Amino acid sequence: MKGALAFAAISEAVTGFALMIAPSLVGQLLLGEQLVGVAIPVARVAGIALIALGIACWPGPPLLGMLTYSALVTLYLAYLGFAGGLTGILLWPAVILHAILTALLTRDRLY
C-alpha cells in the first residue's frame, strides 16, 4: 500500500507542476482543447493544489502540504492581482485569508 501511495503522490505532484508550467498543453492532452482566458490561472491554482496533495500524501506531516498550498496560492493570487490584471471582488480578501492561514500554519509547523 505504501508503494501505491508514493506513486500517487509523485504522479499528482508531477501533474501539478505540468499544470503550473504549461496549463494549455495539459488541457490539450487531457481534454482535447487548449485552455484559454481565465481557465489558465484556475488550472495553475489546481496545479498548486495537486502539488500540495502530493506533499501531504508523502511520508511526513500532512501539515506541510496545506502550508505549501496556502503559501503558493497566496503568492500566485497576489501576483495575478499586481501583474496579471485579474482582480475580482474576492481576490484581495482571498490573498489576505491565505496569508493569515500561511502564518498560522507556519507557527504550527514551528511549535
Side-chain angles (χ1 to χ4, degrees):
M1 185 64 162
K2 290 183 182 191
L5 183 59
F7 178 75
I10 291 169
S11 298
E12 296 303 337
V14 168
T15 303
F17 279 114
L19 278 168
M20 287 182 58
I21 295 167
S24 288
L25 176 61
V26 174
Q28 178 69 40
L29 294 172
L30 287 177
L31 306 172
E33 296 286 333
Q34 288 192 352
L35 303 178
V36 295
V38 74
I40 291 174
V42 171
R44 286 192 169 128
V45 169
I48 291 168
L50 288 175
I51 292 167
L53 177 65
I55 292 170
C57 290
W58 197 254
L63 173 75
L64 187 57
M66 186 55 79
L67 176 58
T68 300
Y69 173 76
S70 193
L72 291 178
V73 164
T74 300
L75 294 173
Y76 184 62
L77 292 178
Y79 165 78
L80 288 176
F82 286 122
L86 299 173
T87 55
I89 192 168
L90 291 179
L91 177 70
W92 292 111
V95 171
I96 292 166
L97 173 67
H98 281 285
I100 291 168
L101 287 173
T102 300
L104 292 172
L105 292 167
T106 300
R107 186 189 67 188
D108 287 352
R109 176 91 168 116
L110 295 175
Y111 297 108

